[in-house]
Amino acid sequence: MANNETDIKIVAFLCNWCTFTAADLAGTSRLKYAPNIRIVKVMCSSRIEPVFILKVLLDGADGVFIGGCAPGDCHYSKGNFYARRKVALAKTLAKSAGLDSERIRLSWIPASEGPRFAHVVNEFTAHIKELGDNPARREVYI
Amino acid sequence: MIKGIWVEGPVKKGVLDFLNGLLAEKKIKAVLMPAKNKGGDSYAWFLMGKDRLLESADPVPPVMTTQGANVVSYLTKKGPVWEKTAVLLRPCEYRAVIELAKIKQVDLTNLVLISFDCPGAYPLEKYVNGDPEELDESFEVCLGGVVELDGPRNVCAICHRFTGTGADIEIGLMGGEGKGFWLVPGSKQGEELLDGAVGSESDNIDVREKAISDRTIARETKRNNTLDSFQETVMGPENLLNTLSACINCHNCSRVCPICFCRECYFDSKALSSEADNMLQRAQRKSGLRLPPDLLLFHLGRMSHMSVSCVSCGACEDACPANVPVSMLFALAGRNTQAVFDYEPGRRLDEAIPHTVFKFEELKDFETPYIKEYSKV
Ligand code: SF4
Ligand code: SF4
């Protein structure tokens, strides 16, 4: 199944205070970015459990993007440090199971950086496009 | 601290005499340990109080029935025990107790933790369906640490943490060749209890240390090699699904796991259930959906919750009706996740569980660093 650009699906978990606000800013500034991401807003990046990431991948999304405040800037002061540990766990387990851990990305995008949000989304989408279809999408026995 | 007391004579009887002595002198009020059950074909845990242990008490049973940490957790669920209580644990059970104490599922107040050099255990099924007398006999032979147990559980065969390091008292069997054992204190409390124990101040304990270090080296190699080749056979969703294909979704493995302490498991909750319509859509998208769904998610999800604390006790595999090598999968996952955080479950009480702490500078390989990315824009 060849991938055309709109086929790619990326689920993005964005923290309310920074990356989601940056996404909002990118929107209101009318910046163009790849239309493949579906955003799930969470109050803090530390709300994201490894299970969320793994479920998204096992259900067939091609990429998972996690966005939080830059280290030191977390609205709840240290949530993003816990988030980093959880993402490390998810990536390690994905790798142990032979799922492509490259499909998981953690980035820090401050609220005021709309252009950067657009840039990162484009870059990640291009990267996922290179990786191709997530084979789990068609796996019946999963 | 004294290095240890050498007690000459039959091992099991010697240990029971020591514990009976502590009870008689009122240094402890109760002992929690396994004993043969009524039918004589398996073991169960008993809290033994009055003034003597049960006749059928066995400090080193050949099988692990209920994981000891679950029993200790049950005992202290509503608060600490009021009087000094000794608990006899396999090393993996001891380490699970420490993990549970960190997350306040066990209250260590007034508990004296005693562990021993573990020869391994038989698969529960093999013991229950086999000839207990015969198996008991061949197990006894292995107590001295010279002979390796024949046909132990998978995880026991590759266990590299087979001593109760850290316990208040260790019962040293390795190197004793079955002629006796050492009582080794591991804490102030342990030392006080050993004061006055029958036996001789040990001058031969280096025999044990040597035997332990030899076996540790051999086992570490064996563990790594076995897990490496196991990884090859299960790596990739395809292979992993083959390995798990017999799984019947009973969740026994998590129910018996000491580390899976949650009263309501996320994977049994409504959080993952969806409308029939949703499942139908998923089925149509890939021309078929296995039900109940999320088989792989259950196992990977459980790994994400607790594999850093997995003590490789094998309780899960003993409980699996479908012969899934669950404990090997978790040993493998645990090896990988524990390495990320440089964590060893049960090593020390003051070593926090990785989910609960962080360092400012760490895990750079798992994030896209802010600075680097910034320069690109
Ligand atoms: S996952 Fe299995 S081996 Fe690991 S602690 Fe739980 S029951 Fe023991
Ligand atoms: S005990 Fe075995 S069959 Fe039951 S859920 Fe666990 S792996 Fe599957």
Side-chain angles (χ1 to χ4, degrees), chain A residues 49-52 54-55 58-59 70-71 78 81-82 84-85 87-89 91-93 95-99 105-110 113 115-116 119-120 123 136-142, chain B residues 235-238 240-241 266 272 282 285-286 288 290 294-297 300-301 303-305 333 336-337 340-341 354-360 362-364 366-368 370 373-374 376-377:
Chain A
E49 245 219 279
V51 173
F52 295 0
L54 295 166
K55 178 156 174 64
L58 292 172
D59 279 353
K78 47 192 183 183
F81 293 114
Y82 292 112
R84 184 166 61 193
R85 287 210 154 198
V87 171
L89 256 179
K91 280 196 163 203
T92 306
L93 286 171
K95 209 164 164 192
S96 313
L99 301 168
R105 171 151 172 181
L106 169 67
S107 282
W108 315 116
I109 303 174
E113 299 187 24
R116 178 162 147 110
H119 173 82
V120 169
E123 195 191 67
R137 197 192 279 201
R138 275 164 287 123
E139 181 54 74
V140 173
Y141 295 95
I142 243 167
Chain B
M235 198 57 172
E238 193 81 7
L240 189 54
L241 285 168
Y266 180 80
L272 285 175
R282 282 162 77 183
R285 200 170 59 217
K286 45 187 173 186
R290 180 189 162 123
D294 299 323
L295 167 74
L296 204 46
L297 185 68
L300 285 178
M303 284 170 187
S304 79
H305 289 169
N336 297 346
T337 53
V340 170
F341 303 106
H355 303 88
T356 61
V357 286
F358 63 84
K359 294 190 196 113
F360 289 102
E362 63 171 359
L363 305 173
K364 294 294 170 197
F366 295 96
E367 61 174 5
T368 317
Y370 178 62
E373 199 178 79
Y374 191 66
K376 283 192 212 146
V377 182

Side-chain angles (χ1 to χ4, degrees), chain B residues 244 246-254 298-299 316 319-322 324 326:
Chain B
L244 289 169
C247 174
I248 59 168
N249 264 60
C250 64
H251 295 192
N252 276 0
C253 45
S254 73
F298 165 64
H299 291 286
C316 46
C320 176
V324 176
V326 215

